[in-house]
Amino acid sequence: MNKGKDRWLEEQKAVRATQLAFDVSKEVQQVLKRAALDQDLNPPDMIRKILGLSYNKTPIRPRLTVSLRSEDFTLLAQKYGIDPEDTLAIREKAAEELIAFAQSLLD
């Protein structure tokens, strides 16, 4: 089979997957998230590992995400003294701030 057809079959399988949400205590969520971080996994992969299911051994793309509205960009632009339209510069400054925060906790 060719790569395109293989990929299409994999995507069809993914469409049939059912997402489950587990209502567990805050403490259980924190423990699972910490365990995932300690093992360089994302929380869904940690859950799959615990349940004995297949999972990605390494994160595909480890990253932090946040959703920003246009007014958030405006506030951050003012904070950093940047043009509100320069979202790349805002993103870079925000990343620097996150790194500085994390570093302050490590020191």
Side-chain angles (χ1 to χ4, degrees):
M1 226 184 282
N2 65 33
K3 287 184 182 183
K5 201 169 201 176
D6 287 342
R7 186 173 172 184
W8 174 251
L9 291 174
E10 288 300 315
E11 287 178 11
Q12 283 181 319
K13 288 179 190 176
V15 169
R16 287 184 247 155
T18 300
Q19 186 172 8
L20 297 179
F22 297 97
D23 292 323
V24 295
S25 70
K26 181 179 177 182
E27 292 79 17
V28 169
Q29 288 183 36
Q30 289 175 342
V31 167
L32 292 174
K33 288 176 183 178
R34 281 193 199 107
L37 284 172
D38 289 344
Q39 295 183 37
D40 289 326
L41 296 172
N42 61 37
D45 284 332
M46 187 71 218
I47 292 168
R48 292 184 64 82
K49 181 179 180 181
I50 292 166
L51 296 176
L53 302 171
S54 64
Y55 63 95
N56 293 323
K57 305 286 188 224
T58 56
I60 294 170
R61 188 172 168 192
R63 60 184 173 175
L64 296 171
T65 62
V66 65
S67 297
L68 299 178
R69 299 177 305 268
S70 60
E71 56 265 23
D72 296 327
F73 278 104
T74 300
L75 289 170
L76 289 173
Q78 290 171 352
K79 177 179 182 176
Y80 302 135
I82 298 172
D83 178 354
E85 298 298 317
D86 193 350
T87 57
L88 180 59
I90 294 168
R91 182 173 155 183
E92 289 172 355
K93 286 291 188 184
E96 290 172 10
E97 187 171 350
L98 293 173
I99 292 166
F101 173 82
Q103 194 61 48
S104 72
L105 295 178
L106 295 173
D107 292 340

